[in-house]
Amino acid sequence: MEMPPTETSNIAQGAYHPDADADDTSKPPSYHGEPASSAEDKIIKIDDAIESIGMGGFQRRVLIAAGLCFTADATEIMLLSFLSLTLQSEWNLTATQTANMTACVFAGSLVGTLTLGYLGDHYGRRPAFLMSCAIISVFGVLTAFATGYESLLGIRFMVGFGVGGLTVPFDIFAEFLPTTHRGKHLLVIEYFWTMGSLMTPLFAYLTLETSWRFFVILCAVPCIISGLMGMCLVPESPRWLISVGRDEQALKVVRLVSFIFFSKKKNRSFPLQRSPFGSFYFVTGRQQKRMG
């Protein structure tokens, strides 16, 4: 995603100065334990910065991208009840074999949660988000090309592995939300799961009599769309970037969100009244503790 142009600034794991003079960018204020350059300058944390931006079109884009992961979660889990009965008849499977088809997905989900959750905490929310979508999309489509019971078990295990990482899109959406909007919109995202649970029987009704292979491909479509939206519209979480000390990248992300938001709301004043590209600094977690 193309980032909006930013001026060179002295980011010292510092503070956000919303009242700085927009015309004077030659002497940006800094934070090295030194006082700010103006008596009117103030320091706010990353939570306050996101709160100042407010709720807008950017968060709604992330809502759709993350919400479609919840839809994919529902479709990939609920298709088992239809697929197992169909293959039990077509492949002459025993009751134990049919049950194993469901069990392997949940086993994969257990491993995926432990693995992709760890990656999301240590290597970034966005990579874990995109990796989960890629795994579900690829192996969801590969399910249609399974040639036997054993290959199907392995493929569905990997689908479950990807499903285990779908907690990460929830995290990245929550971390872009202002605290005043978090409760409402974290409830709204759950409706995407309901949508997926309604879509799966519809897909089954339309396709199972013709081909179960086409049915499983349709069920992978929400995750494919989510992954494409994530690649194009969802940057890394600035809260996570701040937590690992990557302040300059967090600055770029928040400026991007501000740019998208203020391009339609010119009357707002973040981060500067006359420009969305003013001097902007953060307080890291370590400095937050020191500053009280």
Side-chain angles (χ1 to χ4, degrees):
M1 182 188 298
E2 184 178 356
M3 306 295 292
T6 58
E7 64 190 17
T8 302
S9 58
N10 179 21
I11 300 176
Q13 298 182 349
Y16 158 47
H17 301 266
D19 300 321
D21 186 358
D23 295 326
D24 184 11
T25 59
S26 60
K27 297 180 179 180
S30 63
Y31 178 76
H32 287 280
E34 302 171 358
S37 59
S38 169
E40 296 182 355
D41 288 341
K42 63 180 180 180
I43 298 172
I44 68 172
K45 302 175 184 178
I46 180 63
D47 291 349
D48 300 321
I50 294 177
E51 191 74 27
S52 298
I53 294 176
M55 185 72 189
F58 174 82
Q59 286 89 345
R60 283 187 282 272
R61 298 179 192 181
V62 180
L63 169 63
I64 295 173
L68 285 174
C69 284
F70 279 62
T71 302
D73 185 2
T75 57
E76 294 297 339
I77 296 300
M78 294 198 65
L79 73 81
L80 297 170
S81 59
F82 298 97
L83 184 62
S84 59
L85 293 176
T86 301
L87 294 183
Q88 185 178 26
S89 174
E90 185 173 328
W91 288 358
N92 297 317
L93 302 178
T94 65
T96 300
Q97 288 175 318
T98 303
N100 287 340
M101 290 173 54
T102 301
C104 72
V105 174
F106 288 101
S109 180
L110 174 62
V111 178
T113 299
L114 297 174
T115 304
L116 295 172
Y118 176 86
L119 294 178
D121 287 339
H122 292 82
Y123 296 97
R125 308 287 195 234
R126 187 172 185 268
F129 170 25
L130 296 180
M131 186 178 299
S132 297
C133 290
I135 292 172
I136 297 172
S137 300
V138 170
F139 287 95
V141 172
L142 283 179
T143 302
F145 299 94
T147 57
Y149 173 71
E150 291 77 12
S151 63
L152 181 67
L153 287 184
I155 292 171
R156 295 310 297 177
F157 177 88
M158 290 305 301
V159 170
F161 184 89
V163 168
L166 293 185
T167 55
V168 178
F170 183 88
D171 292 339
I172 198 170
F173 177 57
E175 291 172 357
F176 274 113
L177 288 174
T179 55
T180 52
H181 294 267
R182 195 170 296 165
K184 173 184 175 181
H185 287 86
L186 292 182
L187 176 63
V188 169
I189 198 174
E190 299 292 342
Y191 286 105
F192 283 85
W193 202 98
T194 304
M195 182 173 68
S197 67
L198 296 175
M199 289 169 56
T200 308
L202 177 61
F203 290 161
Y205 174 77
L206 294 175
T207 62
L208 268 185
E209 290 187 1
T210 304
S211 172
W212 65 266
R213 300 179 189 274
F214 185 51
F215 168 63
V216 297
I217 291 176
L218 273 181
C219 289
V221 168
C223 202
I224 295 173
I225 298 174
S226 175
L228 293 174
M229 291 187 66
M231 290 178 61
C232 299
L233 302 177
V234 181
E236 183 57 86
S237 164
R239 297 179 194 267
W240 181 84
L241 290 170
I242 286 292
S243 72
V244 296
R246 293 160 61 177
D247 297 1
E248 291 194 34
Q249 294 181 40
L251 165 63
K252 292 179 181 179
V253 171
V254 177
R255 278 179 168 168
L256 170 66
V257 177
S258 176
F259 173 77
I260 295 172
F261 189 81
F262 290 107
S263 63
K264 296 183 180 180
K265 297 196 174 185
K266 301 295 187 182
N267 58 323
R268 298 294 297 274
S269 57
F270 182 84
L272 291 179
Q273 185 172 3
R274 280 169 281 182
S275 170
F277 305 121
S279 300
F280 189 85
Y281 303 84
F282 292 110
V283 181
T284 63
R286 182 176 62 257
Q287 291 169 332
Q288 289 173 8
K289 293 180 182 178
R290 185 170 68 238
M291 296 175 63

